[in-house]
Amino acid sequence: MASKSDKELIFMPNGGATAEGEGEGFLPALDEMTPREIVAELDKYIVGQAAAKRAVAVALRNRVRRQKLPAELAEDILPKNILMIGPTGVGKTEIARRLARLAGCPFVKVEASKYTEVGYVGRDVESMVRDLVETSIDMVREEKLDEVADRAEQAAEERVLDLLLPPPPPPAPGTPDSEATAQRETNQRSREKFRLQLREGKLDERMVDIEVRERQMPSFEIISNQGVEEMDVNLKDMLSGMFGQQKKKRKMSVADAFEYLIQEEESKLLDMDQVTRIAVERAEQMGIIFIDEIDKVAGRESGHGPDVSREGVQRDILPIIEGTTVNTRYGMIRTDHILFIAAGAFHVTKPSDLIPELQGRLPIRVELQSLKEEDFVRILTEPKNALIKQYVALLETEGIKLNITDDAVETLAKFATSVNEQTENIGARRLHTILEKVLDDISFEALDLKKKTVKVDSAYVNKQLADIVKNQDLSRYIL
């Protein structure tokens, strides 16, 4: 299962992302995938939670169906936002992450607990939409850069050849045509010879003088309650235009000059206005915002104390989910058709503790089940990015063949279940810390064990965890 982070941005090219870490070719385009096929793809990475997978698969398929409707009807069909309920570490975040990768949609994950009511210190809830647009911009920009990459490389190659072999001066007046033609042919042959050497890497270490742009900008700070990155005017771009760009000569290797010139040519070929238009539309029509820990802002307050702004945060989030217009540096963004997936453990509070208006904007409820011992066994071995596969691959880089037996896997799963029952239940994340504890000695002595096969069986696992098993107070251990 994926670990939590403050904000997680994920984007892949639309219409056929390859499975992570695999070279199996392209998946079918999203508009060709049935909900059952979407669930099958999620099954490759997430164990169990069939109800949640089914709900997100239907929600994603409905977005594809909406794209095929007449514009006036499609405008009225709003996404069915989802509320996932379940303890930490059972796969809520991972389902949303994999869904976004599969769909090639702009995706942003935020924590509800970092937002505070307007008037209190904290981030403005509208920043989640700005983050989504920035993600979409990066996503489309990468796609467009791929389209112009070949042309940029060809243009950069010509510029490098001009540095290595400057064009000859024009022939003097009165020079016979035959002599001028012969001179041009000689120069062209030399240029093609240099081109071949350049492509073969034989000129990479040669030094050349190249003009590079440097921005001269004054140093100053702006204090804003929203942060410089969220200000409506892009001050950096404005100031760069005001103070201009100066060029200076720099000496660098041909290889470095080639890379620099490729980037320069790509920026010339890239139409940022087009990128912005596509990115804004994609964020509005296909964006997904995952709001984690929504339960931390649930509940009603007495009007004082550290949690005074919880209901205020809900009321600030409400218009974003309901559909509003947010001002960003790229223009006004409508949130009507952004899909919102909220998630929370709801240990202390209940979904009914959310304000009624917010409950109504999250019509699809799915409850994720706590993980059992058999689930941990599957999590360790079945997914494409299973933990055991990760550790085996890591140690293979040191020449070690790690063999974790089936009985060791069962012991690990049993121990994880036991610790979760006796302490806080943190789900599959418990496996990360237990595996680190078990494989600590092998990882530390990896270079000394080079070119050896290391067997990890049930006896080895019990030996590594013996000091914890003997101690009744499991809370002393960070497991």
Side-chain angles (χ1 to χ4, degrees):
M1 299 295 170
S3 61
K4 289 187 179 180
S5 61
D6 183 54
K7 182 180 73 174
E8 197 164 4
L9 306 181
I10 301 172
F11 46 89
M12 295 190 70
N14 194 19
T18 56
E20 189 174 289
E22 298 290 330
E24 298 180 351
F26 288 94
L27 295 172
L30 180 62
D31 59 357
E32 298 175 2
M33 295 184 72
T34 65
R36 192 182 301 277
E37 289 172 332
I38 294 172
V39 170
E41 286 299 320
L42 294 175
D43 284 340
K44 295 179 182 178
Y45 297 95
I46 302 146
V47 169
Q49 314 303 358
K53 292 175 185 174
R54 184 182 179 119
V56 297
V58 171
L60 191 61
R61 185 62 194 176
N62 280 338
R63 311 198 84 186
V64 176
R65 291 165 179 160
R66 175 180 168 272
Q67 300 292 329
K68 301 177 180 179
L69 294 175
E72 59 274 11
L73 180 58
E75 184 66 23
D76 294 330
I77 297 179
L78 303 178
K80 305 300 185 290
N81 299 317
I82 301 170
L83 177 62
M84 293 186 182
I85 306 163
T88 182
V90 297
K92 300 187 296 293
T93 305
E94 187 71 359
I95 287 174
R97 289 178 67 246
R98 294 293 169 185
L99 187 73
R101 290 195 176 203
L102 187 62
C105 298
F107 172 85
V108 61
K109 172 184 177 291
V110 297
E111 309 287 344
S113 55
K114 75 178 178 181
Y115 297 106
T116 56
E117 185 180 4
V118 174
Y120 291 85
V121 177
R123 293 200 72 187
D124 178 8
V125 293
E126 290 185 352
S127 63
M128 67 175 73
V129 180
R130 298 188 183 101
D131 291 338
L132 181 71
V133 177
E134 292 288 348
T135 304
S136 187
I137 291 286
D138 290 341
M139 175 182 179
V140 176
R141 185 174 181 275
E142 289 298 320
E143 293 176 10
K144 295 300 180 183
L145 284 177
D146 288 341
E147 293 178 8
V148 302
D150 290 340
R151 283 189 291 159
E153 187 171 346
Q154 291 172 8
E157 184 179 77
E158 296 300 330
R159 291 179 64 181
V160 171
L161 291 173
D162 289 340
L163 294 172
L164 294 169
L165 188 67
T175 304
D177 291 344
S178 58
E179 185 176 333
T181 302
Q183 185 179 356
R184 284 196 298 270
E185 291 177 352
T186 301
N187 183 72
Q188 187 62 30
R189 284 195 297 270
S190 300
R191 189 176 181 88
E192 293 303 320
K193 182 178 178 181
F194 271 92
R195 189 191 305 275
L196 183 60
Q197 292 177 344
L198 177 64
R199 292 177 177 176
E200 292 176 350
K202 295 179 179 178
L203 304 176
D204 284 354
E205 302 303 321
R206 181 175 292 194
M207 304 302 291
V208 293
D209 289 325
I210 182 174
E211 281 190 342
V212 297
R213 293 187 178 93
E214 60 175 7
R215 292 188 176 183
Q216 298 290 342
M217 289 181 58
S219 176
F220 63 91
E221 293 183 358
I222 295 177
I223 299 175
S224 167
N225 64 338
Q226 291 184 340
V228 175
E229 80 281 358
E230 294 174 10
M231 296 182 69
D232 297 337
V233 179
N234 188 354
L235 287 175
K236 289 186 178 181
D237 288 349
M238 182 182 73
L239 290 172
S240 66
M242 184 186 304
F243 292 96
Q245 290 181 330
Q246 295 185 354
K247 291 185 177 182
K248 71 172 186 178
K249 289 272 189 179
R250 279 188 58 189
K251 188 177 287 291
M252 61 176 70
S253 67
V254 167
D256 292 339
F258 191 39
E259 291 299 321
Y260 174 81
L261 291 173
I262 287 177
Q263 294 178 14
E264 199 172 87
E265 292 296 328
E266 284 178 342
S267 64
K268 290 179 183 177
L269 293 169
L270 199 62
D271 183 353
M272 282 307 297
D273 290 337
Q274 182 191 34
V275 168
T276 301
R277 287 195 303 272
I278 296 173
V280 166
E281 182 180 1
R282 190 175 295 184
E284 288 183 334
Q285 301 299 324
M286 296 296 290
I288 299 175
I289 295 181
F290 182 82
I291 306 176
D292 204 1
E293 298 187 358
I294 194 74
D295 57 315
K296 301 299 188 296
V297 297
R300 306 300 178 90
E301 305 83 23
S302 59
H304 61 274
D307 295 330
V308 68
S309 66
R310 286 188 299 171
E311 186 172 332
V313 173
Q314 295 182 60
R315 295 198 179 278
D316 285 347
I317 291 177
L318 177 61
I320 304 291
I321 296 182
E322 183 179 14
T324 187
T325 303
V326 176
N327 190 12
T328 74
R329 55 185 287 195
Y330 302 105
M332 306 301 286
I333 305 297
R334 292 180 57 199
T335 66
D336 301 69
H337 298 290
I338 295 174
L339 175 65
F340 290 88
I341 302 176
F346 290 98
H347 289 310
V348 179
T349 58
K350 306 182 295 294
S352 58
D353 290 329
L354 295 168
I355 60 175
E357 298 91 338
L358 189 57
Q359 293 182 48
R361 300 301 183 272
L362 299 166
I364 300 178
R365 310 285 176 86
V366 288
E367 186 169 355
L368 286 81
Q369 304 301 316
S370 296
L371 298 173
K372 301 175 182 176
E373 183 178 329
E374 54 267 28
D375 295 321
F376 286 139
V377 172
R378 295 180 59 197
I379 289 169
L380 285 169
T381 56
E382 287 186 13
K384 288 188 176 181
N385 60 344
L387 281 177
I388 286 180
K389 295 176 183 177
Q390 293 178 22
Y391 281 97
V392 169
L394 284 172
L395 289 172
E396 274 182 352
T397 63
E398 304 284 3
I400 299 171
K401 186 176 181 182
L402 185 64
N403 179 20
I404 300 181
T405 62
D406 292 342
D407 63 329
V409 172
E410 292 174 1
T411 303
L412 289 167
K414 185 178 297 184
F415 193 79
T417 305
S418 175
V419 177
N420 274 345
E421 289 174 351
Q422 297 179 55
T423 61
E424 289 294 330
N425 184 357
I426 62 172
R429 293 188 179 91
R430 186 74 66 186
L431 296 171
H432 288 267
T433 47
I434 292 177
L435 265 175
E436 282 291 335
K437 174 72 175 175
V438 170
L439 300 177
D440 180 68
D441 290 344
I442 297 174
S443 297
F444 185 77
E445 300 170 3
L447 292 175
D448 300 326
L449 299 170
K450 206 165 189 178
K451 297 183 179 177
K452 292 185 178 180
T453 298
V454 179
K455 183 178 180 180
V456 176
D457 55 12
S458 179
Y460 183 85
V461 172
N462 287 325
K463 177 183 175 184
Q464 293 299 105
L465 300 175
D467 55 338
I468 300 176
V469 173
K470 290 177 184 177
N471 194 302
Q472 299 300 315
D473 185 13
L474 293 176
S475 62
R476 289 183 54 197
Y477 294 91
I478 309 175
L479 290 176

